[in-house]
Amino acid sequence: MTSAHERRSYEQFCPVARALDLLGERWTLLVVRELLAGPCRFTDLRAHLPGMSPALLTQRLRALEDEALVRRTELPPPAARTVYELTERGRALEPVVYELGRFGIAYLTHAGPTPQPPMHLLALGLKLFVVLEALPGRAFVVHLALDEGDFTLRISAPAHGPAIGRVAIDAGTPAQFDARVRASLSTILWLRQGVMTLAEARAGGLLEVDGPARGVAAACALFGLETAA
Amino acid sequence: MTSAHERRSYEQFCPVARALDLLGERWTLLVVRELLAGPCRFTDLRAHLPGMSPALLTQRLRALEDEALVRRTELPPPAARTVYELTERGRALEPVVYELGRFGIAYLTHAGPTPQPPMHLLALGLKLFVVLEALPGRAFVVHLALDEGDFTLRISAPAHGPAIGRVAIDAGTPAQFDARVRASLSTILWLRQGVMTLAEARAGGLLEVDGPARGVAAACALFGLETAA
DNA sequence: CCGCATCCGTTTCGATACTG
DNA sequence: CAGTATCGAAACGGATGCGG
């Protein structure tokens, strides 16, 4: 009984069912979400996943390790000892988490219990707003000057692999940018949810986009904002 | 406690967590997978989801209805009475299921318990092999002549919305096609999983691609097959 | 402190049987 | 055909403990 698993499976010859065999249990994909942002210690994961018991976190990490989606690394003395990180196979989950997030945007209610979303969720959330179909055919930098903080959105040059791999977001202000967006998170959310139009937001001073003319248009497209009319 | 739900939520201000609040319970996404193929009766769903108890199916369908992802329609007398189908919001789940499936391909073991996968899973599975980044910029038809049956893969012209919306697969043989692929499902699976190279498959007579020259190259790209070397 | 393991009450799930 | 009802088994959530 050492292996503990041979977990409950759907027993179907279907890629979707197989994926859910691996990822479908509670918390699993949220653990992956955390690890997509970079290596984490056990305690970091706990802090970012309130409500998850440590035993369950251990169990999920072991299962992910067994599937070679996560790797546990023991660091030499100086730093905190063990960190968890995604393997290359694990990083293949980025599109899955991305699409889940894209879908979830429509169901985000901003009058939630969290007064100020934690920084790392903010960065992830902003990444989800990017419309992959509208990525420019070249590298591109956007300065997101939100009320909640400054972020740098970098689109790298086209490459092989999933398009989401071209998108990176970090806290901070870029030295140069192709476009700059000033708004609050609420405004961006409302625009995406259709609560408000781009014209209304601009008229109300809730959103400003500036930079080189072509950059502005590209930035709007990037966030799915219609510039017409 | 009339509403019965107010189900367990992750309580995070994060689109991924919100999506999993709606979809993260066991069986939910497999129900969605079934409905993506078209409207279904209760009994059809049961037949395609062995192991799921009817009570649980009812519960999942009610929850999806409450979220306006699924609609229940009562048909007039002639036909079997009630059918379930995805709403427009529900159809927004196609990219989620698609990416899960893309990920799951790598974990499909063909020596499974199912001797012959059911037709509807076969069609879904084939759709998952299509590489969305490689969709041609025009309409395109591929005849998939598999050992398991004939399928017609239709790529429609570029449009708004998710790229997966351009891909459709049906059983049957097309009157005209831009390319034809002859292979078995195993071969396609092995190629994708890297068990075998395209050159090896062709040399061994396991795979043939014919049609107009440009069609062949496009078809290979469509399935992520390197034609070089 | 960090990285877990153990215990226990509650919730969810799976299997089967039964009904309008 | 389209569900309900029931019940034992498994999974989960929360608190607590414990060695390095």
Side-chain angles (χ1 to χ4, degrees), chain A residues 69-146:
Chain A
L69 297 170
V70 162
R71 175 175 33 218
R72 175 149 110 245
T73 313
E74 302 278 342
L75 294 183
R81 285 189 288 284
T82 60
V83 294
Y84 294 90
E85 59 188 332
L86 292 178
T87 61
E88 185 144 356
R89 294 180 93 171
R91 261 174 273 129
L93 283 167
E94 187 162 19
V96 174
V97 174
Y98 172 82
E99 289 299 343
L100 268 173
R102 287 286 305 265
F103 175 80
I105 287 177
Y107 298 85
L108 254 194
T109 55
H110 200 195
T114 316
Q116 172 79 347
M119 210 58 170
H120 80 287
L121 284 186
L122 250 177
L124 169 67
L126 289 168
K127 196 165 168 178
L128 296 174
F129 282 93
V130 174
V131 176
L132 297 185
E133 285 81 8
L135 290 191
R138 57 184 180 93
F140 196 81
V141 177
V142 180
H143 175 195
L144 295 167
L146 303 190

Side-chain angles (χ1 to χ4, degrees), chain B:
Chain B
M1 30 210 329
T2 60
S3 76
H5 345 259
E6 199 61 42
R7 308 196 309 286
R8 203 157 34 161
S9 158
Y10 290 110
E11 302 286 350
Q12 287 195 357
F13 184 77
C14 165
V16 180
R18 291 293 296 128
L20 290 170
D21 282 344
L22 304 184
L23 308 168
E25 289 172 306
R26 194 163 163 78
W27 292 107
T28 301
L29 280 170
L30 290 187
V31 172
V32 171
R33 178 196 73 189
E34 290 302 314
L35 294 175
L36 278 170
C40 285
R41 293 172 301 167
F42 192 87
T43 312
D44 299 330
L45 292 170
R46 285 210 60 191
H48 291 159
L49 299 170
M52 187 183 197
S53 84
L56 200 51
L57 177 54
T58 302
Q59 194 179 315
R60 292 293 182 267
L61 287 168
R62 295 287 175 273
L64 288 168
E65 270 191 81
D66 290 348
E67 303 296 346
L69 297 171
V70 162
R71 177 175 29 219
R72 173 150 110 247
T73 313
E74 301 279 341
L75 295 182
R81 284 191 286 285
T82 59
V83 293
Y84 293 90
E85 60 189 330
L86 292 178
T87 62
E88 184 143 357
R89 295 179 92 172
R91 260 173 274 129
L93 283 167
E94 187 162 18
V96 173
V97 174
Y98 171 81
E99 288 299 344
L100 268 173
R102 288 285 304 266
F103 175 80
I105 287 176
Y107 298 85
L108 254 194
T109 53
H110 200 198
T114 316
Q116 171 81 346
M119 210 58 169
H120 79 288
L121 285 186
L122 250 178
L124 168 67
L126 289 169
K127 195 166 168 177
L128 297 174
F129 282 93
V130 174
V131 176
L132 297 185
E133 286 81 8
L135 291 191
R138 58 183 179 93
F140 196 82
V141 177
V142 180
H143 174 194
L144 295 167
L146 303 191
D147 296 355
E148 289 80 5
D150 285 279
F151 294 88
T152 299
L153 169 65
R154 286 177 203 284
I155 311 293
S156 47
H160 292 292
I164 185 68
R166 294 179 57 199
V167 183
I169 283 220
D170 294 294
T173 308
Q176 299 184 342
F177 51 82
D178 297 285
R180 177 172 53 193
V181 178
R182 295 183 178 280
S184 72
L185 184 63
S186 305
T187 302
I188 294 184
L189 189 55
W190 288 337
L191 285 168
R192 175 59 67 94
Q193 292 181 341
V195 177
M196 178 189 290
T197 68
L198 179 59
E200 287 166 359
R202 277 177 153 156
L206 294 173
L207 180 122
E208 268 179 65
V209 188
D210 55 15
R214 295 198 49 208
V216 170
C220 286
L222 212 53
F223 286 94
L225 303 175
E226 303 295 337
T227 54

